[in-house]
Amino acid sequence: MESIYGLDLREIEALVASFGLPKYRATQLLERIYKKNALSWDEVPALPAATRAKIAQKFRLTALRPVEKLGADAGSSKFLFETEDGHLLESVLISQKGRETVCVSTQLGCKVKCVFCASGKGPFIRNLSAGEIVEQVARIARQTGRKITNVVFMGMGEPLDNFESTLKAVRLLTEPWGFALGARRVTVSTAGITPKILEFVRLVDGRVRLSVSLHSSKEEVRSELVPINRRYSLKELVAVLKKINRDLKREITFEYTLIEGVNDSGEEALGVAAIAKPLKAKVNIIPYNPVSEFGHKPPSAQTVQNFCRTLEKKGVRVMLRQTAGQEIDAACGQLRLDRARRTE
Ligand code: SF4
């Protein structure tokens, strides 16, 4: 059964009309779902009870069941949800500097299979629907009582591999009749599905922020870390990003997971600077958060500092993101993986 979360303005209007209700009922329903984040039909009093019962026969109001929450109320918290078909997905709330950012998952598992990521370890199950993506935001807002200010598509899955649902979720989050977040407060991250990047940026009119997982400035190293690089090379990726930056005047952020002895050399730092500088791109450095199967470690604090300094000296904006979530298994997909193992 389809969830109401995930229906857009036109679909809700059509739904309301199909029950013979006036158009203003659509506005009331949208208000209850996307502004008040209703989680039960009792929280939608504007609709007559008989109509609610009829709609409930065709649509679920929600499609996710909260399973577990890890982490302190301040800082980062991780949430595990169960889908209707019994699969687990996870989302993270990061409370920092007055911002409440929800990191959403877009797929159950991930086909990209980056070697350092827990999400790529298990099997790929399916794409999440737009409703399942945005309901993560609604549930976390309700569960914590926080006003969500930002959403990042950086949880389980490759957003551009679930193109239509990601696009719709972005609309639901940013439209005035939806969650009404400023488009600049939504970031979509990709491992580099090159043909989809340009299409996505064009379709969202470049309004949401684009973040690209770089992880190495060398083709062979990047192919080891992010296997999709064998299909869509770094050279091709950089060419597309240049086009986006030059023709569409859009900013790009790179994510760079720093792993000891793998991609933390001075030569790599110079290579990253050579890619980022012409694009005027910011680089987020994330010291690696160990996943038990991948036998690597984060670099020393000194190496991290040297790497950042080299970039800064080359005139690249750098943000060092600490692995604040280590104590709550905040590496993407890790909680879900651990839980699956415990269940086995
Ligand atoms: S880092 Fe992202 S793209 Fe790579 S395997 Fe994990 S979820 Fe997929």
Side-chain angles (χ1 to χ4, degrees), residues 80-160:
L80 196 63
F81 298 110
E82 188 181 4
T83 60
E84 266 192 313
D85 52 351
H87 299 293
L88 296 173
L89 66 95
E90 57 189 64
S91 329
V92 180
L93 173 68
I94 305 140
S95 306
Q96 221 171 36
K97 297 179 190 158
R99 285 186 189 179
E100 301 290 345
T101 304
V102 174
C103 174
V104 292
S105 291
T106 52
Q107 296 180 309
L108 295 168
C110 183
K111 288 183 249 170
V112 176
K113 302 204 176 297
C114 301
V115 291
F116 50 81
C117 169
S119 293
K121 299 292 168 221
F124 174 78
I125 298 166
R126 66 169 172 86
N127 286 331
L128 293 178
S129 66
E132 287 169 322
I133 297 171
V134 300
E135 193 186 321
Q136 298 168 54
V137 180
R139 288 221 167 248
I140 291 175
R142 286 293 300 271
Q143 206 169 323
T144 60
R146 307 268 174 85
K147 179 164 172 37
I148 306 305
T149 60
N150 296 66
V151 174
V152 293
F153 287 62
M154 290 187 187
M156 251 199 305
E158 159 58 53
L160 299 190

Coordinates of all heavy atoms in Angstrom, one line a residue, residues 80-160:
L80 N 17.2 3.8 13.6 CA 17.0 2.7 12.7 C 15.5 2.5 12.5 O 14.7 2.5 13.5 CB 17.6 1.5 13.4 CG 17.8 0.2 12.6 CD1 18.9 0.5 11.5 CD2 18.3 -0.9 13.5
F81 N 15.1 2.4 11.3 CA 13.6 2.2 10.9 C 13.4 0.9 10.2 O 14.4 0.4 9.5 CB 13.1 3.3 10.0 CG 13.2 4.7 10.7 CD1 14.2 5.6 10.2 CD2 12.4 5.0 11.7 CE1 14.2 6.9 10.8 CE2 12.4 6.3 12.3 CZ 13.4 7.2 11.8
E82 N 12.2 0.3 10.3 CA 11.9 -0.9 9.6 C 10.8 -0.5 8.5 O 9.9 0.2 8.8 CB 11.3 -1.9 10.5 CG 11.1 -3.3 9.8 CD 10.5 -4.3 10.7 OE1 10.2 -4.0 11.8 OE2 10.4 -5.5 10.2
T83 N 11.1 -0.9 7.3 CA 10.1 -0.7 6.2 C 9.0 -1.7 6.3 O 9.0 -2.7 7.0 CB 10.8 -0.8 4.8 OG1 11.3 -2.2 4.7 CG2 11.9 0.1 4.6
E84 N 7.9 -1.4 5.5 CA 6.7 -2.3 5.5 C 7.1 -3.7 5.2 O 6.4 -4.6 5.7 CB 5.7 -1.7 4.5 CG 4.7 -0.8 5.1 CD 3.6 -0.6 4.1 OE1 3.9 -0.3 2.9 OE2 2.4 -0.7 4.5
D85 N 8.0 -3.8 4.3 CA 8.4 -5.2 3.8 C 9.5 -5.8 4.7 O 10.2 -6.7 4.3 CB 8.8 -5.3 2.3 CG 9.8 -4.2 1.9 OD1 10.1 -3.3 2.8 OD2 10.3 -4.3 0.8
G86 N 9.7 -5.2 5.9 CA 10.6 -5.8 6.9 C 12.1 -5.6 6.7 O 12.9 -6.3 7.3
H87 N 12.5 -4.6 6.0 CA 13.9 -4.3 5.9 C 14.3 -3.1 6.8 O 13.5 -2.3 7.1 CB 14.3 -4.0 4.4 CG 14.0 -5.2 3.6 ND1 14.7 -6.4 3.7 CD2 13.1 -5.4 2.6 CE1 14.3 -7.2 2.8 NE2 13.3 -6.6 2.1
L88 N 15.6 -3.0 7.1 CA 16.1 -2.0 8.0 C 16.8 -0.9 7.2 O 17.5 -1.1 6.3 CB 17.0 -2.5 9.0 CG 16.4 -3.6 10.0 CD1 17.5 -4.2 10.9 CD2 15.4 -2.9 10.9
L89 N 16.5 0.4 7.6 CA 17.3 1.5 7.1 C 17.6 2.4 8.2 O 17.0 2.4 9.3 CB 16.4 2.2 6.0 CG 15.2 3.0 6.4 CD1 15.5 4.5 6.7 CD2 14.1 2.9 5.3
E90 N 18.7 3.3 7.9 CA 19.1 4.1 9.0 C 19.2 5.6 8.6 O 19.4 5.9 7.4 CB 20.4 3.6 9.6 CG 21.5 3.5 8.7 CD 22.7 2.7 9.3 OE1 22.5 1.6 9.7 OE2 23.7 3.3 9.4
S91 N 19.0 6.5 9.5 CA 19.1 7.9 9.3 C 19.9 8.5 10.5 O 19.9 7.9 11.6 CB 17.8 8.6 9.2 OG 16.8 7.7 8.7
V92 N 20.5 9.7 10.3 CA 21.2 10.3 11.4 C 20.7 11.7 11.6 O 20.4 12.4 10.6 CB 22.7 10.3 11.1 CG1 23.6 11.0 12.2 CG2 23.3 8.9 10.8
L93 N 20.7 12.2 12.8 CA 20.4 13.6 13.1 C 21.7 14.2 13.7 O 22.2 13.7 14.6 CB 19.3 13.7 14.2 CG 19.0 15.1 14.7 CD1 18.5 16.0 13.6 CD2 18.1 15.1 15.9
I94 N 22.2 15.2 13.1 CA 23.4 15.9 13.5 C 23.0 17.3 14.0 O 22.5 18.1 13.2 CB 24.4 16.0 12.4 CG1 24.7 14.6 11.8 CG2 25.7 16.6 12.9 CD1 24.9 14.6 10.3
S95 N 23.1 17.5 15.3 CA 22.8 18.8 15.9 C 24.1 19.6 16.1 O 24.9 19.2 16.9 CB 22.1 18.6 17.2 OG 21.0 17.8 17.1
Q96 N 24.3 20.6 15.4 CA 25.5 21.4 15.4 C 25.3 22.8 15.0 O 24.7 23.1 14.0 CB 26.5 20.7 14.4 CG 27.9 20.5 14.9 CD 28.7 19.7 13.9 OE1 28.5 19.8 12.7 NE2 29.6 18.9 14.4
K97 N 25.9 23.7 15.8 CA 25.9 25.1 15.5 C 24.5 25.6 15.2 O 24.4 26.3 14.1 CB 26.9 25.4 14.4 CG 28.3 25.1 14.8 CD 29.2 25.4 13.6 CE 30.6 24.9 13.8 NZ 31.4 24.7 12.6
G98 N 23.5 25.3 15.9 CA 22.2 25.8 15.7 C 21.5 25.1 14.5 O 20.4 25.5 14.1
R99 N 22.1 24.1 13.9 CA 21.5 23.4 12.7 C 21.1 22.1 13.2 O 21.8 21.4 13.9 CB 22.5 23.3 11.6 CG 22.8 24.5 10.8 CD 23.7 24.1 9.7 NE 24.2 25.2 9.0 CZ 25.0 25.2 7.9 NH1 25.4 24.0 7.5 NH2 25.4 26.2 7.3
E100 N 19.9 21.6 12.7 CA 19.5 20.3 12.9 C 19.4 19.6 11.5 O 18.5 19.9 10.7 CB 18.1 20.3 13.5 CG 18.0 21.0 14.9 CD 18.7 20.3 16.0 OE1 19.0 19.1 15.9 OE2 18.9 21.0 17.0
T101 N 20.4 18.8 11.3 CA 20.5 18.2 9.9 C 20.2 16.7 10.0 O 20.7 16.0 10.8 CB 22.0 18.3 9.4 OG1 22.3 19.7 9.5 CG2 22.1 17.8 8.0
V102 N 19.3 16.3 9.1 CA 19.0 14.9 9.0 C 19.7 14.3 7.8 O 19.6 14.9 6.7 CB 17.4 14.6 8.9 CG1 17.2 13.1 8.6 CG2 16.7 15.0 10.2
C103 N 20.4 13.2 8.0 CA 21.0 12.5 6.9 C 20.2 11.4 6.5 O 19.9 10.5 7.3 CB 22.4 12.1 7.4 SG 23.3 11.1 6.2
V104 N 19.6 11.4 5.3 CA 18.6 10.3 4.9 C 19.3 9.3 4.0 O 20.2 9.5 3.3 CB 17.4 10.9 4.2 CG1 16.6 11.8 5.1 CG2 17.8 11.7 2.9
S105 N 18.7 8.1 4.1 CA 19.0 7.0 3.2 C 18.1 7.0 2.0 O 17.0 7.5 2.1 CB 18.9 5.6 3.9 OG 19.8 5.5 4.9
T106 N 18.6 6.5 0.9 CA 17.8 6.5 -0.4 C 17.6 5.1 -0.9 O 16.8 4.9 -1.8 CB 18.5 7.4 -1.5 OG1 19.8 7.0 -1.6 CG2 18.4 8.9 -1.1
Q107 N 18.4 4.2 -0.4 CA 18.3 2.8 -0.9 C 18.5 1.8 0.3 O 19.1 2.2 1.3 CB 19.4 2.5 -2.0 CG 19.2 3.3 -3.2 CD 20.3 3.0 -4.3 OE1 21.5 3.0 -3.9 NE2 19.9 2.7 -5.5
L108 N 18.0 0.6 0.1 CA 18.3 -0.5 1.1 C 19.5 -1.2 0.5 O 19.4 -1.9 -0.4 CB 17.1 -1.4 1.2 CG 15.8 -0.8 1.8 CD1 14.6 -1.7 1.7 CD2 16.0 -0.4 3.3
G109 N 20.7 -0.9 1.1 CA 21.9 -1.4 0.5 C 22.4 -0.4 -0.5 O 21.8 0.7 -0.7
C110 N 23.5 -0.7 -1.2 CA 24.0 0.2 -2.2 C 24.9 -0.6 -3.2 O 25.7 -1.4 -2.8 CB 24.9 1.2 -1.5 SG 25.5 2.4 -2.7
K111 N 24.6 -0.3 -4.5 CA 25.3 -1.1 -5.5 C 26.7 -0.6 -5.7 O 27.5 -1.2 -6.4 CB 24.5 -1.0 -6.8 CG 23.2 -1.8 -6.8 CD 22.5 -1.7 -8.1 CE 21.2 -0.9 -8.0 NZ 20.6 -0.6 -9.3
V112 N 27.0 0.7 -5.3 CA 28.3 1.3 -5.6 C 29.4 0.5 -4.8 O 30.5 0.4 -5.3 CB 28.3 2.8 -5.2 CG1 29.7 3.4 -5.4 CG2 27.3 3.5 -6.1
K113 N 29.1 0.1 -3.6 CA 30.1 -0.8 -2.8 C 31.5 -0.2 -2.6 O 32.5 -0.8 -2.9 CB 30.2 -2.2 -3.5 CG 28.9 -2.9 -3.6 CD 29.0 -4.4 -3.6 CE 27.6 -5.1 -3.6 NZ 26.8 -4.9 -2.4
C114 N 31.5 1.1 -2.2 CA 32.8 1.7 -1.8 C 33.4 0.8 -0.7 O 32.7 0.3 0.2 CB 32.6 3.1 -1.2 SG 31.8 4.2 -2.4
V115 N 34.7 0.6 -0.8 CA 35.3 -0.5 0.1 C 35.3 -0.1 1.6 O 35.3 -0.9 2.4 CB 36.7 -0.8 -0.3 CG1 36.8 -1.5 -1.6 CG2 37.6 0.5 -0.3
F116 N 35.2 1.2 1.9 CA 35.3 1.7 3.3 C 33.9 1.9 3.9 O 33.8 2.4 5.0 CB 36.1 3.0 3.4 CG 35.6 4.0 2.4 CD1 34.5 4.8 2.7 CD2 36.2 4.2 1.2 CE1 34.0 5.7 1.8 CE2 35.7 5.1 0.3 CZ 34.6 5.9 0.6
C117 N 32.8 1.5 3.2 CA 31.5 1.8 3.6 C 30.7 0.6 4.0 O 30.6 -0.4 3.2 CB 30.8 2.6 2.5 SG 29.0 2.8 2.9
A118 N 30.0 0.6 5.2 CA 29.3 -0.5 5.6 C 28.0 -0.8 4.8 O 27.6 -1.9 4.6 CB 28.8 -0.3 7.1
S119 N 27.5 0.3 4.2 CA 26.3 0.1 3.4 C 26.5 -0.7 2.1 O 25.6 -1.4 1.6 CB 25.8 1.5 2.9 OG 25.3 2.2 3.9
G120 N 27.7 -0.7 1.7 CA 28.0 -1.5 0.5 C 28.3 -3.0 0.8 O 28.5 -3.8 -0.1
K121 N 28.4 -3.3 2.1 CA 28.8 -4.7 2.5 C 27.6 -5.7 2.3 O 27.9 -6.8 1.8 CB 29.2 -4.7 3.9 CG 30.4 -3.9 4.3 CD 31.7 -4.4 3.6 CE 32.8 -3.3 3.7 NZ 33.5 -3.2 2.5
G122 N 26.4 -5.3 2.7 CA 25.3 -6.3 2.6 C 24.8 -6.3 1.1 O 25.3 -5.6 0.3
P123 N 23.8 -7.1 0.9 CA 23.2 -7.2 -0.5 C 22.4 -5.9 -0.8 O 21.9 -5.3 0.2 CB 22.3 -8.4 -0.4 CG 21.9 -8.6 1.0 CD 23.1 -8.0 1.8
F124 N 22.3 -5.6 -2.0 CA 21.4 -4.5 -2.4 C 20.0 -5.0 -2.4 O 19.7 -6.1 -3.1 CB 21.8 -3.9 -3.8 CG 20.8 -2.9 -4.3 CD1 20.8 -1.6 -3.8 CD2 19.8 -3.2 -5.2 CE1 19.9 -0.7 -4.2 CE2 18.8 -2.3 -5.6 CZ 18.9 -1.0 -5.1
I125 N 19.0 -4.4 -1.8 CA 17.7 -4.9 -1.7 C 16.7 -4.2 -2.7 O 16.2 -4.8 -3.6 CB 17.1 -4.9 -0.3 CG1 18.1 -5.8 0.6 CG2 15.7 -5.4 -0.2 CD1 17.9 -5.6 2.1
R126 N 16.6 -2.9 -2.4 CA 15.7 -2.1 -3.4 C 15.9 -0.6 -3.1 O 16.5 -0.2 -2.1 CB 14.3 -2.5 -3.2 CG 13.7 -2.1 -1.8 CD 12.1 -2.3 -1.8 NE 11.6 -2.1 -0.5 CZ 11.2 -1.0 0.0 NH1 11.4 0.2 -0.7 NH2 10.7 -0.9 1.2
N127 N 15.3 0.1 -4.0 CA 15.3 1.6 -3.9 C 14.2 2.0 -2.8 O 13.2 1.2 -2.7 CB 14.9 2.3 -5.2 CG 16.0 2.3 -6.2 OD1 17.2 2.3 -5.8 ND2 15.6 2.3 -7.5
L128 N 14.4 3.1 -2.1 CA 13.4 3.6 -1.3 C 12.5 4.5 -2.1 O 12.9 5.1 -3.1 CB 14.0 4.4 -0.1 CG 14.8 3.6 0.9 CD1 15.4 4.5 2.0 CD2 14.0 2.5 1.6
S129 N 11.2 4.6 -1.7 CA 10.3 5.5 -2.4 C 10.5 6.9 -1.9 O 11.2 7.1 -0.8 CB 8.8 5.1 -2.1 OG 8.6 5.3 -0.8
A130 N 10.0 7.9 -2.6 CA 10.2 9.3 -2.2 C 9.6 9.4 -0.8 O 10.1 10.1 0.1 CB 9.5 10.2 -3.2
G131 N 8.4 8.7 -0.6 CA 7.7 8.8 0.7 C 8.6 8.3 1.8 O 8.7 8.9 2.9
E132 N 9.3 7.1 1.6 CA 10.1 6.5 2.6 C 11.3 7.5 2.9 O 11.9 7.5 4.0 CB 10.6 5.2 2.2 CG 9.5 4.1 2.3 CD 9.9 2.8 1.6 OE1 10.6 2.9 0.5 OE2 9.6 1.7 2.1
I133 N 11.8 8.2 1.9 CA 12.9 9.1 2.1 C 12.5 10.3 3.0 O 13.1 10.6 4.0 CB 13.5 9.6 0.7 CG1 14.1 8.4 -0.1 CG2 14.6 10.6 1.0 CD1 14.5 8.8 -1.5
V134 N 11.4 10.9 2.6 CA 11.0 12.1 3.4 C 10.4 11.8 4.7 O 10.5 12.6 5.7 CB 10.1 13.1 2.6 CG1 10.8 13.6 1.3 CG2 8.7 12.5 2.3
E135 N 9.9 10.6 4.9 CA 9.3 10.2 6.2 C 10.4 10.1 7.2 O 10.1 10.3 8.4 CB 8.5 8.9 6.1 CG 7.6 8.6 7.3 CD 7.0 7.3 7.3 OE1 6.5 6.8 6.2 OE2 6.9 6.7 8.4
Q136 N 11.6 9.8 6.8 CA 12.7 9.8 7.8 C 12.9 11.1 8.5 O 13.1 11.2 9.7 CB 14.0 9.4 7.1 CG 14.1 8.0 6.5 CD 15.2 7.9 5.5 OE1 16.4 8.0 5.9 NE2 15.0 7.5 4.3
V137 N 12.7 12.2 7.7 CA 12.8 13.6 8.2 C 11.6 13.8 9.2 O 11.8 14.3 10.3 CB 12.8 14.6 7.1 CG1 12.9 16.0 7.6 CG2 13.9 14.3 6.1
A138 N 10.4 13.5 8.7 CA 9.2 13.7 9.5 C 9.3 13.0 10.9 O 9.0 13.5 11.9 CB 8.0 13.3 8.8
R139 N 9.7 11.7 10.8 CA 9.7 10.9 12.0 C 10.8 11.4 13.0 O 10.5 11.5 14.2 CB 10.1 9.4 11.7 CG 8.9 8.7 11.1 CD 8.8 7.3 11.6 NE 7.5 6.7 11.2 CZ 6.5 6.5 12.0 NH1 6.7 6.7 13.3 NH2 5.4 5.9 11.6
I140 N 11.9 11.8 12.5 CA 13.0 12.3 13.4 C 12.5 13.7 14.0 O 12.8 13.9 15.2 CB 14.3 12.4 12.7 CG1 14.8 11.0 12.4 CG2 15.4 13.2 13.5 CD1 16.1 10.9 11.5
A141 N 11.9 14.5 13.2 CA 11.4 15.8 13.8 C 10.4 15.5 14.9 O 10.5 16.1 16.0 CB 10.7 16.6 12.6
R142 N 9.5 14.6 14.7 CA 8.5 14.3 15.7 C 9.1 13.6 16.9 O 8.8 13.9 18.1 CB 7.4 13.4 15.1 CG 6.5 14.1 14.2 CD 5.6 15.1 14.9 NE 4.8 14.5 15.9 CZ 3.5 14.0 15.8 NH1 3.0 14.1 14.6 NH2 2.9 13.5 16.8
Q143 N 10.0 12.7 16.7 CA 10.6 11.9 17.8 C 11.5 12.8 18.7 O 11.5 12.6 19.9 CB 11.5 10.7 17.2 CG 11.6 9.6 18.2 CD 12.2 8.4 17.4 OE1 11.9 8.1 16.3 NE2 13.1 7.6 18.1
T144 N 12.1 13.8 18.1 CA 13.1 14.6 18.9 C 12.5 15.9 19.3 O 13.0 16.6 20.1 CB 14.4 14.9 18.1 OG1 14.0 15.6 16.9 CG2 15.1 13.6 17.8
G145 N 11.4 16.3 18.6 CA 10.8 17.7 18.9 C 11.7 18.8 18.3 O 11.5 19.9 18.6
R146 N 12.6 18.4 17.5 CA 13.5 19.5 16.9 C 12.9 20.0 15.6 O 12.3 19.2 14.9 CB 14.9 18.9 16.6 CG 15.6 18.2 17.8 CD 16.4 19.2 18.5 NE 16.9 18.5 19.7 CZ 18.0 17.8 19.8 NH1 18.7 17.6 18.7 NH2 18.4 17.2 20.9
K147 N 13.3 21.2 15.3 CA 12.9 21.7 14.0 C 14.0 21.5 13.0 O 15.1 21.9 13.2 CB 12.6 23.3 14.1 CG 12.2 23.9 12.7 CD 11.6 25.2 12.9 CE 11.4 25.9 11.5 NZ 11.0 25.1 10.4
I148 N 13.8 20.6 12.0 CA 14.8 20.2 11.1 C 15.1 21.4 10.1 O 14.2 21.9 9.5 CB 14.4 19.0 10.3 CG1 14.0 17.8 11.3 CG2 15.6 18.5 9.4 CD1 15.1 17.5 12.3
T149 N 16.4 21.8 10.1 CA 16.8 22.9 9.2 C 17.5 22.5 7.9 O 17.5 23.3 7.0 CB 17.7 23.8 10.0 OG1 18.9 23.1 10.4 CG2 17.1 24.4 11.3
N150 N 18.1 21.3 7.9 CA 18.9 20.9 6.8 C 18.7 19.4 6.5 O 18.5 18.6 7.5 CB 20.4 21.1 7.0 CG 20.7 22.6 7.1 OD1 20.3 23.3 8.1 ND2 21.5 23.1 6.2
V151 N 18.8 19.0 5.3 CA 18.7 17.6 5.0 C 19.8 17.3 4.0 O 20.1 18.0 3.0 CB 17.3 17.2 4.3 CG1 17.3 15.7 3.8 CG2 16.2 17.4 5.3
V152 N 20.6 16.2 4.3 CA 21.6 15.7 3.4 C 21.3 14.3 2.9 O 20.9 13.5 3.7 CB 23.0 15.8 4.0 CG1 23.4 17.3 4.3 CG2 23.1 15.0 5.3
F153 N 21.4 14.1 1.6 CA 21.2 12.7 1.1 C 22.6 12.0 1.1 O 23.3 12.0 0.1 CB 20.7 12.8 -0.3 CG 19.3 13.3 -0.5 CD1 18.9 14.5 0.0 CD2 18.3 12.4 -1.0 CE1 17.5 14.9 -0.1 CE2 17.0 12.8 -1.1 CZ 16.6 14.1 -0.7
M154 N 23.0 11.6 2.3 CA 24.3 11.0 2.4 C 24.3 9.7 3.2 O 25.3 9.2 3.7 CB 25.3 11.9 3.1 CG 25.7 13.1 2.3 SD 27.0 14.0 3.2 CE 27.1 15.5 2.1
G155 N 23.1 9.2 3.4 CA 22.9 7.9 4.2 C 23.2 6.7 3.3 O 23.9 6.8 2.3
M156 N 22.5 5.6 3.6 CA 22.6 4.4 2.8 C 22.2 4.6 1.4 O 21.1 5.2 1.2 CB 21.7 3.4 3.4 CG 22.4 2.2 4.1 SD 21.3 0.9 4.2 CE 19.9 1.6 5.0
G157 N 23.0 4.2 0.4 CA 22.5 4.3 -1.0 C 23.1 5.4 -1.8 O 23.7 6.3 -1.2
E158 N 23.1 5.3 -3.1 CA 23.5 6.3 -4.0 C 22.3 7.0 -4.6 O 21.5 6.4 -5.3 CB 24.4 5.6 -5.1 CG 24.5 6.4 -6.4 CD 25.2 7.8 -6.2 OE1 26.3 7.8 -5.6 OE2 24.6 8.8 -6.7
P159 N 22.1 8.3 -4.1 CA 20.9 9.0 -4.5 C 20.6 9.0 -6.0 O 19.5 8.8 -6.5 CB 21.1 10.4 -4.0 CG 22.1 10.2 -2.9 CD 22.9 9.1 -3.3
L160 N 21.6 9.2 -6.8 CA 21.4 9.3 -8.3 C 21.2 7.9 -8.9 O 20.8 7.9 -10.1 CB 22.6 10.0 -9.0 CG 22.8 11.5 -8.5 CD1 23.8 12.2 -9.4 CD2 21.5 12.2 -8.4

